[in-house]
Amino acid sequence: MQQLFNFFIRNKTFVLFLVLFTCALSLTIQSHEYHRSKFIHSSNQVTGSIYGTFHGISQYYNLKNENKLLLEENSQLKTVVFNHKNLAQVDRVLESTYNILPSLVYKNSFTLPNNYLTLNMGSNDFIKEEDGVITSKGIVGIIDKTSANYSRVLSILNTNSRVNVKLKKTNHFGILSWDGKSPEITQLKDVQDLVKIAVGDTVVTSGYSSTFPPNIPVGSIQSYRLNDTEDLYIIDVKLFNDMTSLEHVYIIKNTDINELKALNISDE
Amino acid sequence: MNNIVFIHILRFLFLVLFQTIVCSNINFLGYINPYIYVLFILLYPITNNRLLFIFISFLLGLSVDVFLDSGGTHAAASIAIAYIRPLFLKFSFGAVYEYHAVKFSNTDFSQRLVYFLMLIFIHHFILFSLVVFDQNELLLIIKQTFYSGIFTLLLCLLLTTLFSNKKT
């Protein structure tokens, strides 16, 4: 026993190094798994408020661009309103189950393999995990952590991200993931090789998951190839969103989510 | 003595904020960012209390991690270079280090360059290995280490030269 203690005292620097290194390593491994990073995330009060303070400064640089985006969206919405007669009634029933809240991006990253965003709304604004985040142009990600006033978004530019999407033309669905390379291109997998696809086809959300309503634009097909077993396509999808400059986003809250979850549980 | 402690606390806070608010948003050529906060570990005075030093390095890395949502990658890389620092001090500064008489503001530029270069590249290599976390992507890790390392090195040399006269 004495010798053991002596050993620790003699090598105390190394022991401390080892302990702390193991801590850091386990945190790293946790962060590589979806929904596991419990302690270290930027949606807490301290980091949130600091990002908020500095966001006020950087906001001014994007004002012009943001104005343009909002104008574009306004005109788009006006077009929809003026042509309202042509909309099918079914759509209105579907839309009523989603609440949409505007929010600001405090922090965004896109260079790492696992990227997250921090938004300025949290559980005080009734934001929950699994809520979807979109812009006027397309999807951004899924809420992953919330604190009282801030929330963290698992960006679609995250190797752990999986979003259910479909081809707009043929309604065939697949899983959208990211290979960690270009912030403009994501990969659509699990589409059967008998589906006819063409470069430039639009990809939209499928609505099969409770996170996103159907038919939110995602991107267009840039190129496609078969996977190793030659029965499924790997499709490169060019995102409509510019993920490198996000400012105003919308959080989609599904008001029927509890009902849907209850259904799924009874299925199992 | 209190003055030195105060300066280091200030430097700690400044570097963490500067890193997270400015440096991590540079994205030069799409993905190259400097990791300037290592300067704190590089310039930490040479002490015999290595336990405290390693612990502070851990805190430094962890605070950057919290801001950048990167798990524990920065913390791991930081304590790694904090632990092996004496080895490189001896290698770069030689006999001067033996007497604990190294003052970074008085050292040769070339000696300082070698010291910075080696520790920064080791830090970045560990950092990107953990960030990418895929052994098949070794080329990507080395590429990112190389580019970001050069960027960090330039900024570190620039900052130390800029503030060298005021340093206590």
Side-chain angles (χ1 to χ4, degrees):
Chain A
M1 205 61 188
Q2 183 74 39
Q3 275 188 332
L4 194 69
F5 279 127
N6 276 341
F7 173 79
F8 275 125
I9 290 166
R10 243 184 299 125
N11 296 309
K12 56 179 190 276
T13 324
F14 183 68
V15 171
L16 180 75
F17 165 73
L18 219 59
V19 169
L20 292 180
F21 197 77
T22 324
C23 278
L25 219 56
S26 60
L27 285 172
T28 309
I29 292 165
Q30 272 192 357
S31 78
H32 282 279
E33 287 170 36
Y34 182 52
H35 266 235
R36 284 288 304 280
S37 44
K38 291 191 188 79
F39 311 108
I40 308 299
H41 56 84
S42 66
S43 62
N44 62 46
Q45 286 302 324
V46 181
T47 50
S49 59
I50 290 175
Y51 272 133
T53 314
F54 286 94
H55 178 258
I57 302 166
S58 61
Q59 207 177 6
Y60 284 102
Y61 296 105
N62 300 325
L63 274 182
K64 219 173 182 177
N65 206 13
E66 283 305 313
N67 265 337
K68 209 182 97 207
L69 275 176
L70 289 175
L71 268 179
E72 270 174 23
E73 193 192 356
N74 259 345
S75 59
Q76 206 184 336
L77 290 174
K78 284 231 164 74
T79 328
V80 173
V81 170
F82 292 150
N83 299 319
H84 187 60
K85 276 177 295 204
N86 305 337
L87 278 180
Q89 291 293 310
V90 185
D91 277 0
R92 276 178 59 200
V93 178
L94 281 175
E95 271 164 15
S96 65
T97 63
Y98 294 100
N99 279 345
I100 293 183
L101 299 164
S103 184
L104 281 176
V105 176
Y106 272 1
K107 174 230 155 193
N108 181 18
S109 75
F110 47 88
T111 54
L112 307 167
N114 293 320
N115 295 299
Y116 297 93
L117 292 86
T118 308
L119 304 184
N120 71 337
M121 284 176 137
S123 47
N124 282 356
D125 310 282
F126 305 104
I127 309 292
K128 289 194 308 291
E129 288 174 14
E130 307 269 307
D131 287 348
V133 179
I134 61 167
T135 67
S136 52
K137 289 194 169 169
I139 62 169
V140 173
I142 298 167
I143 302 269
D144 156 70
K145 278 273 162 343
T146 54
S147 68
N149 295 313
Y150 305 99
S151 53
R152 186 173 79 164
V153 181
L154 184 87
S155 165
I156 46 170
L157 300 185
N158 187 313
T159 46
N160 291 324
S161 159
R162 302 281 181 276
V163 179
N164 214 321
V165 294
K166 67 179 181 185
L167 299 168
K168 194 179 185 183
K169 211 160 64 178
T170 58
N171 272 338
H172 284 94
F173 63 92
I175 305 284
L176 191 77
S177 56
W178 190 50
D179 62 359
K181 295 205 171 86
S182 163
E184 289 168 357
I185 315 282
T186 55
Q187 280 67 40
L188 171 56
K189 286 172 184 165
D190 293 354
V191 176
Q192 290 272 316
D193 65 339
L194 25 108
V195 181
K196 281 203 174 65
I197 52 177
V199 171
D201 280 0
T202 310
V203 177
V204 294
T205 54
S206 67
Y208 290 148
S209 71
S210 52
T211 308
F212 293 108
N215 295 322
I216 292 178
V218 175
S220 60
I221 294 176
Q222 197 184 45
S223 64
Y224 56 89
R225 60 189 181 277
L226 285 170
N227 69 353
D228 295 339
T229 51
E230 303 220 323
D231 55 346
L232 296 169
Y233 279 120
I234 298 172
I235 304 170
D236 284 334
V237 179
K238 191 172 177 9
L239 295 171
F240 291 136
N241 249 340
D242 181 6
M243 293 295 287
T244 60
S245 73
L246 294 172
E247 183 75 38
H248 294 273
V249 295
Y250 301 103
I251 302 172
I252 305 178
K253 289 182 53 58
N254 190 339
T255 47
D256 283 350
I257 194 157
N258 291 329
E259 204 177 326
L260 280 167
K261 269 188 181 158
L263 264 179
N264 282 337
I265 289 165
S266 62
D267 265 4
E268 286 158 10
Chain B
M1 183 61 200
N2 268 330
N3 196 16
I4 293 175
V5 174
F6 183 68
I7 282 178
H8 277 92
I9 293 172
L10 215 64
R11 190 188 277 165
F12 185 102
L13 294 175
F14 170 76
L15 281 176
V16 169
L17 283 183
F18 191 63
Q19 175 63 49
T20 49
I21 309 280
V22 181
C23 289
S24 293
N25 291 316
I26 291 179
N27 297 320
F28 182 61
L29 296 181
Y31 63 95
I32 304 169
N33 283 331
Y35 292 93
I36 191 75
Y37 71 95
V38 288
L39 199 59
F40 181 84
I41 300 169
L42 298 178
L43 294 184
Y44 194 85
I46 294 153
T47 56
N48 285 323
N49 193 351
R50 285 181 63 204
L51 289 178
L52 182 70
F53 175 48
I54 289 179
F55 188 69
I56 291 176
S57 306
F58 180 71
L59 280 186
L60 176 76
L62 204 66
S63 4
V64 175
D65 275 328
V66 171
F67 274 99
L68 300 182
D69 285 311
S70 46
T73 49
H74 290 279
S78 297
I79 49 174
I81 59 162
Y83 181 72
I84 57 169
R85 191 178 80 141
L87 203 72
F88 288 92
L89 278 170
K90 204 182 282 176
F91 179 81
S92 320
F93 300 111
V96 194
Y97 166 71
E98 302 285 330
Y99 302 110
H100 290 279
V102 179
K103 265 206 162 174
F104 292 106
S105 42
N106 302 336
T107 50
D108 259 8
F109 179 77
S110 60
Q111 282 178 337
R112 206 165 45 184
L113 180 75
V114 171
Y115 168 65
F116 279 12
L117 184 89
M118 287 191 302
L119 279 184
I120 285 174
F121 272 81
I122 291 169
H123 173 271
H124 282 37
F125 183 71
I126 297 171
L127 176 68
F128 286 115
S129 312
L130 290 174
V131 165
V132 175
F133 216 60
D134 185 351
Q135 60 199 17
N136 301 325
E137 299 279 3
L138 195 65
L139 203 69
L140 179 76
I141 294 170
I142 291 171
K143 204 173 77 180
Q144 292 221 346
T145 306
F146 184 70
Y147 290 135
S148 289
I150 288 176
F151 202 169
T152 312
L153 184 69
L154 283 178
L155 266 184
C156 282
L157 289 174
L158 207 74
L159 278 180
T160 44
T161 333
L162 264 178
F163 293 104
S164 59
N165 292 334
K166 290 173 195 163
K167 206 171 292 155
T168 48

